[in-house]
Amino acid sequence: APAAPLAFRLAPGERAAAEPTFELLLARGGSVDVRVVDPFGAPAPGVVVEGAGVGSDATREAVTDPSGRALFERLAAGPHRFTAQPVAALGILAFLPDEDPPAPGSVAELEVVDGRRATVTLVRPARGRLVGRVTEGGLPLAGAGLRLEKAGHAAFLIPGLTDQPLARTGVDGRYAIESVNAGEYELVIEHASRAMPARIPASVVEGTSELDVDLPLVVVEGRVVDSRGAPLADARVDVVDPGAPRTGGVEWAIGAGDGVTLEITSAVERSARTAADGSYRLRGLRTGVPLLVRARHDEHREARSGELVLAPGETRVVDLALAPAGKLEVAVTLDGAPAFAAEVEAVPVSEDAGVDPVSSRCDHEGRARLTGLAPGEWTVSAHQDEARASARVTVAVGRTAALALALEFE
């Protein structure tokens, strides 16, 4: 075990003896032989065991050998805590309201005595595998991505980073998710052809759990037109589930003039783009819950349908008309330099405007571009850390208003 530090002091101008002599007493330290078993009492190899002195932030880890044992040596005398860790997280970045309590028997505390070896037995947290088959309308759905989210916990997903699947279905629709902590989950199923992920309750227990899922085929289609009835091409159409758990989706676009667009939605969904005739088609939607169809276009205001509840096998026609809108380009500076990534928000001055605030972030040139604004007066604010600025601007249909904001610290 490490020796206690030795301190000494020299007076100003004093020099140590030519050959100073110090005597350091090294403690032998104690050791702990940790034995880990599975919930059935069999040795559990490959389990990460964490050891730490009680009240200390310093930790040590060891992995159990084929016999389920891990040895901690040269430990300082005193109370220590040992924990058999659950398997790693499920490949998602999650904001959890509370940490899960440790599994029964997975934590033990004991007193380490200098020069002695102690033995402790821990129970590995239960883990299992989830297997099954995914079909769509009774036919195998190949290439579907599957992940698990902890039931009742909201996750924050970043496309391409934290939303990677744990498994994919084969040509026969079968899947297997290995080494999962036992518990209650939602099995999230996504496929390139489906606009909305399916969320199915799933239970994982020690051993193998089976769950087969048949996804209904539901379609929403229609046309998007402008206020004169002319088709709008390249409008973005998606379906929103207002009652979905707060699984955040982040979307961003960085480019000259486009700024950094940050959008956090209630769920990560796929959208469709309208064709030249304004038509669109979205398949693979949720059933039995209220949904909203939403259409957006840079030159027009966002439009939403009324709530609709879809049934399995249904095809629903939803047409949307978008009113004309204006745009706003905002140049933001801080101490005379472009305020990269400053947040810009526009709020309608009139409470009767019937539109939501619009926000964006500045690009590397300090510019943000807001589109789809209703005509009228808007309050535009920008901030970066504690520096802020705001002003009013008038937006006209078919025109791009310009505004410059200089941030100042309050």
Side-chain angles (χ1 to χ4, degrees):
L6 176 66
F8 62 95
R9 177 180 298 177
L10 295 176
E14 181 182 0
R15 300 180 60 183
E19 297 181 1
T21 302
F22 302 102
E23 181 177 321
L24 297 177
L25 179 62
L26 297 177
R28 296 174 58 188
S31 60
V32 176
D33 184 8
V34 180
R35 177 174 178 261
V36 181
V37 298
D38 66 21
F40 301 107
V47 178
V48 176
V49 180
E50 181 184 88
V54 175
S56 171
D57 294 331
T59 62
R60 294 168 62 177
E61 289 186 348
V63 180
T64 56
D65 62 18
S67 66
R69 295 182 178 274
L71 180 61
F72 289 80
E73 298 181 291
R74 296 183 294 278
L75 300 175
H80 286 254
R81 178 185 292 109
F82 296 90
T83 305
Q85 300 287 348
V87 294
L90 296 173
I92 63 173
L93 180 63
F95 295 96
L96 306 181
D98 297 292
E99 292 186 3
D100 292 330
S106 64
V107 180
E109 291 187 10
L110 55 81
E111 191 78 16
V112 173
V113 179
D114 192 51
R116 295 187 180 181
R117 173 177 292 192
T119 302
V120 65
T121 299
L122 302 177
V123 179
R124 168 181 61 74
R127 66 177 66 165
R129 61 196 299 262
L130 183 66
V131 302
R133 187 167 182 256
V134 178
T135 55
E136 183 184 60
L139 300 176
L141 185 62
L146 299 94
R147 68 174 187 271
L148 290 170
E149 293 181 7
K150 197 69 173 176
H153 290 170
F156 188 77
L157 305 179
I158 301 178
L161 180 61
T162 63
D163 63 342
Q164 298 304 297
L166 298 173
R168 287 196 179 276
T169 54
V171 294
D172 58 356
R174 297 195 175 277
Y175 71 91
I177 301 178
E178 307 288 349
S179 193
V180 180
N181 295 317
E184 300 299 317
Y185 296 90
E186 279 191 333
L187 177 64
V188 182
I189 306 173
E190 296 178 301
H191 193 271
S193 67
R194 296 180 63 85
M196 304 181 77
R199 310 180 73 89
I200 311 298
S203 297
V204 177
V205 298
E206 180 76 20
T208 300
S209 302
E210 296 188 17
L211 178 61
D212 294 335
V213 179
D214 184 48
L215 301 176
L217 183 54
V218 180
V219 175
V220 168
E221 58 187 13
R223 295 177 72 240
V224 178
V225 298
D226 63 18
S227 58
R228 299 171 298 173
L232 279 177
D234 204 35
R236 179 180 173 184
V237 185
D238 57 10
V239 177
V240 179
D241 180 355
R246 291 296 301 177
T247 300
V250 177
E251 302 173 0
W252 60 85
I254 302 178
D258 290 336
V260 181
T261 300
L262 175 68
E263 180 180 352
I264 300 179
T265 60
S266 61
V268 178
E269 322 288 10
R270 289 184 172 87
S271 61
R273 295 281 183 172
T274 55
D277 62 355
S279 64
Y280 73 92
R281 189 172 192 267
L282 292 167
R283 67 187 300 279
L285 306 175
R286 295 195 185 103
T287 61
V289 296
L291 301 175
L292 298 173
V293 181
R294 177 177 61 177
R296 287 172 286 179
H297 190 275
D298 282 354
E299 308 292 336
H300 296 78
R301 295 168 55 184
E302 176 184 306
R304 298 189 180 194
S305 70
E307 286 191 351
L308 57 150
V309 179
L310 303 172
E314 180 181 1
T315 296
R316 182 79 63 93
V317 176
V318 178
D319 297 328
L320 295 170
L322 277 59
K327 301 178 182 179
L328 173 63
E329 289 189 355
V330 185
V332 184
T333 58
L334 176 62
D335 294 332
F340 172 70
E343 184 174 351
V344 178
E345 182 181 49
V347 179
V349 173
S350 173
E351 296 181 356
D352 300 327
V355 294
D356 296 328
V358 179
S359 63
S360 182
R361 286 185 183 269
C362 295
D363 62 13
H364 65 283
E365 295 180 343
R367 297 183 178 275
R369 185 168 179 260
L370 307 178
T371 61
L373 301 180
E377 196 170 15
W378 291 73
T379 299
V380 182
S381 60
H383 72 88
Q384 188 177 68
D385 298 326
E386 299 301 321
R388 302 178 180 274
S390 64
R392 286 191 176 186
V393 65
T394 300
V395 175
V397 168
R399 297 187 177 183
T400 300
L403 180 66
L405 294 175
L407 300 181
E408 295 181 356
F409 289 96
E410 297 181 344

